[in-house]
Amino acid sequence: MPTKYIFFTGGVVSSVGKGVTAAAIGRLLKEHGLTVAVQKLDPYINVDPGTMSPYQHGEVFVLDDGAETDLDLGHYERFIDIRLNRVCNVTTGQVYAEVISKERRGDYLGGTIQVIPHITNEIKRRIGLVAKTTGAEIVLVEVGGTVGDIESLPFLEALRQMRSDIGRENTLFIHVTYLPHIGATSELKTKPTQHSVRELRSIGISPDMIVARSDFPVGDDLRDKIALFCDVEKRAVVPLVTTNVLYEVPLLLEKAGVGSYLLERLKLESRHNPDWTEWEQLVAKVRQPKPVVKVALVGKYVELHDAYMSVYEALKHAAISLGVEVEIDWVHSAELEKERGWEVVQNAHGIVVPGGFGSRGTEGKIQAARYARENKVPYLGLCLGMQLMVVELARIALNNDDVNSTEFDRSTSNPVIDLMPDQRAIADMGGTMRLGMYPCVLKPGSCAALAYAQPNVNERHRHRFELNNAYRNMLEEAGMVFSGVSPDERLVEIAEIAGHPFMVGTQFHPEFLSRPNRPHPLFVAFLRAVRDKANVGS
Ligand code: GLN
């Protein structure tokens, strides 16, 4: 069977949930017994989001193979429960870099390199790699941004060509738009949707389905109108009203008949009747009123919650499984340094210090770790949060405030966190990063081993610095347990504080592997300690 493609474009405005819609449709097709993979095409010129500020772009999501990708890949992996690979995120930067390096090698034999066909061919080649590397029967491809952006034109042109290359029965276009609500007349407007469909048509793409996002219920008359003006079958106009439960979206789309429509259009048969019981139970659990526990998330990019998307989701997943509602209180670590925001930390039943780069706010995070250790408040340190928990203890044990990570103080007298000797030679920023999946051996009886309930695990990394082995003995004597190490024991992967209800730091990012129905064991263990601290629930 030829690979089937579903292309997602966005209209009207961005940030209305195109990524979640694609992820939810992926889940829906999986429930019908088909294998799916998802790819995001990002029109920016960076080669990957790794070098972008989280303020610009939100979290960088890391895959098994170490690819630094758009946060939508996190939605895809969580909703569909799949593992994606580096071909699943393509940027304009990657496409141009490849074409230009081929040109320099002389691969084009003296031709003039143009957007059409050279750039579009490279885009199509990369789309083709998804099915080749994952074996998926259906590949979902989401184009970032909205139709009308200059940057996305080559991507849309490539998709247009694919429809004629491989045929209508193998390709399907879903356009995700937004219906604004006019307060004065209390009505939803379809005009921006009509305009964006017209824009899409002007570049040769006719959408097969319109998913109309809205904050208000969408009447049948509006569906008629969109169907008529946008020349789409009425049953392919799917209103998607904002829900407070993200994981309800696949259920809503199934109810709207999206599954059967897509299968019919792509000439596919459902392999089995979808069984949504698990998802329905999940959504019911989210909706149920539950005792509230509070977690202070002490970070640096807290103004933009997207910067901690996976941490947020992992906390929510663990909370669902434990029957509690987790309230996440965002604390700016630089504020703590100025003696502000401490009441939020003090009112919380647990503290998370997530990953981060650069020195701003690190002292505040160290203070938060000290507070957690001294007051026996459950603490989960993720990457930087682990490194700073080590700095905190070492400062006390050595009675020296000059202890630091060399990331923040190159001339510190005690570099407890440092580059590994073999990394130092490599000056190129980014080149020294430890990225992707690495194995970790757990110490029997430790908090981490009890949480995982298995001796060996694999987790995703994204960092440059490591715990300095010269300080291991000293830290152990001070009460730190190295509960996870690399198989050769050279790298500390997990550190915890002995005799504390739960103070665990991981050099890796467990949040990337959490799933709504399969919460990450470390997040569950952390929240269990948080629940005990709050003295609620069972
Ligand atoms: N900045 C630290 C390092 O590079 C931690 C990175 C992170 O938290 N992801 O090692």
Side-chain angles (χ1 to χ4, degrees):
M1 183 182 85
T3 312
K4 308 281 181 174
Y5 289 91
I6 303 180
F7 302 125
F8 292 82
T9 54
V12 185
V13 283
S14 61
S15 308
V16 291
K18 178 156 45 80
V20 168
T21 306
I25 287 183
R27 181 74 209 196
L28 196 149
L29 294 166
K30 182 178 175 177
E31 289 297 332
H32 282 268
L34 297 146
T35 55
V36 288
V38 198
Q39 183 181 48
K40 175 92 191 270
L41 306 178
D42 276 315
Y44 52 72
I45 300 176
N46 303 58
V47 169
D48 64 44
T51 54
M52 265 186 242
S53 159
Y55 284 126
Q56 296 267 323
H57 194 263
E59 153 188 287
V60 172
F61 191 80
V62 182
L63 305 180
D64 288 350
D65 62 12
E68 298 176 88
T69 70
D70 185 76
L71 55 74
D72 273 328
L73 277 85
H75 288 310
Y76 309 154
E77 286 204 346
R78 284 187 288 268
F79 270 87
I80 312 174
D81 200 357
I82 43 172
R83 301 285 189 97
L84 300 171
N85 68 39
R86 71 172 57 250
V87 304
C88 298
N89 195 185
V90 173
T91 68
T92 297
Q94 287 169 18
V95 171
Y96 274 80
E98 178 78 26
V99 170
I100 291 170
S101 80
K102 278 191 186 157
E103 185 270 340
R104 291 289 86 186
R105 282 203 311 260
D107 286 9
Y108 297 113
L109 297 173
T112 305
I113 317 305
Q114 295 178 300
V115 172
I116 306 170
H118 301 93
I119 295 297
T120 47
N121 281 352
E122 176 59 20
I123 294 170
K124 289 195 284 182
R125 187 184 73 83
R126 283 173 185 254
I127 294 173
L129 287 178
V130 179
K132 279 205 191 95
T133 56
T134 63
E137 296 164 291
I138 309 180
V139 176
L140 278 52
V141 181
E142 179 193 349
V143 185
T146 42
V147 169
D149 299 344
I150 291 178
E151 293 90 340
S152 56
L153 275 175
F155 288 114
L156 295 172
E157 167 60 14
L159 302 186
R160 185 198 66 77
Q161 291 175 17
M162 277 184 75
R163 169 157 274 187
S164 26
D165 293 349
I166 60 176
R168 284 184 67 83
E169 68 286 2
N170 297 321
T171 51
L172 197 139
F173 281 88
I174 299 182
H175 191 50
V176 182
T177 73
Y178 179 68
L179 307 178
H181 183 260
I182 305 300
T185 49
S186 188
E187 54 177 347
L188 291 167
K189 289 293 187 187
T190 64
K191 189 73 83 190
T193 296
Q194 296 174 37
H195 279 297
S196 78
V197 170
R198 187 181 304 163
E199 182 87 37
L200 203 52
R201 282 185 194 289
S202 74
I203 47 183
I205 295 172
S206 305
D208 302 282
M209 176 179 277
I210 291 176
V211 174
R213 288 277 297 104
S214 162
D215 293 330
F216 295 87
V218 181
D220 219 33
D221 50 332
L222 283 192
R223 284 181 67 204
D224 282 329
K225 197 166 169 185
I226 295 171
L228 180 67
F229 281 92
C230 301
D231 193 26
V232 174
E233 278 183 72
K234 183 174 177 188
R235 61 184 182 134
V237 178
V238 182
L240 186 56
V241 180
T242 307
T243 160
N244 54 357
V245 185
L246 203 58
Y247 297 109
E248 193 184 16
V249 178
L251 298 174
L252 295 174
L253 293 173
E254 179 77 311
K255 246 180 242 147
V258 171
S260 48
Y261 179 79
L262 295 179
L263 294 178
E264 184 188 314
R265 264 285 288 104
L266 291 171
K267 300 204 165 36
L268 289 170
E269 298 271 322
S270 189
R271 298 256 161 74
H272 49 69
N273 266 342
D275 178 5
W276 290 104
T277 331
E278 215 189 342
W279 278 76
E280 281 161 358
Q281 282 168 354
L282 181 80
V283 173
K285 274 194 209 159
V286 177
R287 287 251 156 81
Q288 227 166 45
K290 295 175 285 290
V292 177
V293 298
K294 293 184 190 174
V295 169
L297 196 142
V298 181
K300 167 173 157 186
Y301 314 107
V302 289
E303 300 88 344
L304 182 73
H305 296 181
D306 274 7
Y308 301 110
M309 175 81 80
S310 293
V311 176
Y312 176 94
E313 287 298 320
L315 283 168
K316 295 283 173 187
H317 301 162
I320 297 170
S321 79
L322 292 174
V324 293
E325 182 74 51
V326 60
E327 174 189 310
I328 299 172
D329 298 324
W330 306 84
V331 181
H332 203 303
S333 54
E335 291 289 296
L336 296 181
E337 294 168 8
K338 298 178 201 141
E339 306 293 323
R340 288 198 294 257
W342 278 101
E343 62 294 346
V344 183
V345 175
Q346 282 152 3
N347 279 330
H349 308 116
I351 297 172
V352 173
V353 177
F357 293 80
S359 62
R360 185 168 62 99
T362 47
E363 289 300 322
K365 291 178 186 169
I366 293 171
Q367 288 167 21
R370 177 155 304 162
Y371 175 85
R373 188 176 55 77
E374 290 180 346
N375 296 285
K376 299 213 181 305
V377 177
Y379 175 99
L380 181 61
L382 307 167
C383 205
L384 182 62
M386 173 266 201
Q387 296 175 352
L388 296 178
M389 155 185 159
V390 172
V391 171
E392 189 282 317
L393 187 69
R395 284 186 182 177
I396 295 285
L398 296 171
N399 193 19
N400 181 351
D401 271 349
D402 187 42
V403 174
N404 216 330
S405 159
T406 48
E407 179 179 6
F408 313 123
D409 180 1
R410 276 168 174 259
S411 56
T412 170
S413 53
N414 285 289
V416 287
I417 306 291
D418 200 1
L419 294 177
M420 295 303 270
D422 47 350
Q423 281 179 310
R424 277 204 204 103
I426 316 166
D428 184 17
M429 283 285 271
T432 57
M433 194 94 99
R434 181 146 77 104
L435 285 166
M437 196 78 123
Y438 285 90
C440 166
V441 181
L442 302 170
K443 189 185 180 96
S446 63
C447 247
L450 290 176
Y452 278 107
Q454 64 185 75
N456 301 299
V457 292
N458 287 285
E459 294 280 1
R460 293 177 178 176
H461 291 247
R462 178 172 184 251
H463 59 105
R464 208 167 273 128
F465 293 81
E466 305 279 353
L467 190 140
N468 183 341
N469 289 330
Y471 290 88
R472 273 210 214 178
N473 284 342
M474 183 280 288
L475 286 162
E476 273 174 336
E477 275 161 26
M480 189 163 267
V481 178
F482 298 119
S483 50
V485 292
S486 58
D488 66 3
E489 299 187 10
R490 275 188 67 228
L491 301 167
V492 169
E493 297 281 7
I494 312 177
E496 54 191 60
I497 302 287
H500 188 286
F502 188 96
M503 186 148 185
V504 177
T506 61
Q507 189 55 84
F508 48 81
H509 291 276
E511 66 270 25
F512 294 140
L513 295 181
S514 181
R515 301 282 189 266
N517 283 326
R518 251 177 331 105
H520 193 285
L522 284 180
F523 278 86
V524 175
F526 166 68
L527 263 199
R528 200 174 279 128
V530 169
R531 189 181 63 182
D532 292 347
K533 177 87 186 164
N535 211 1
V536 295
S538 48

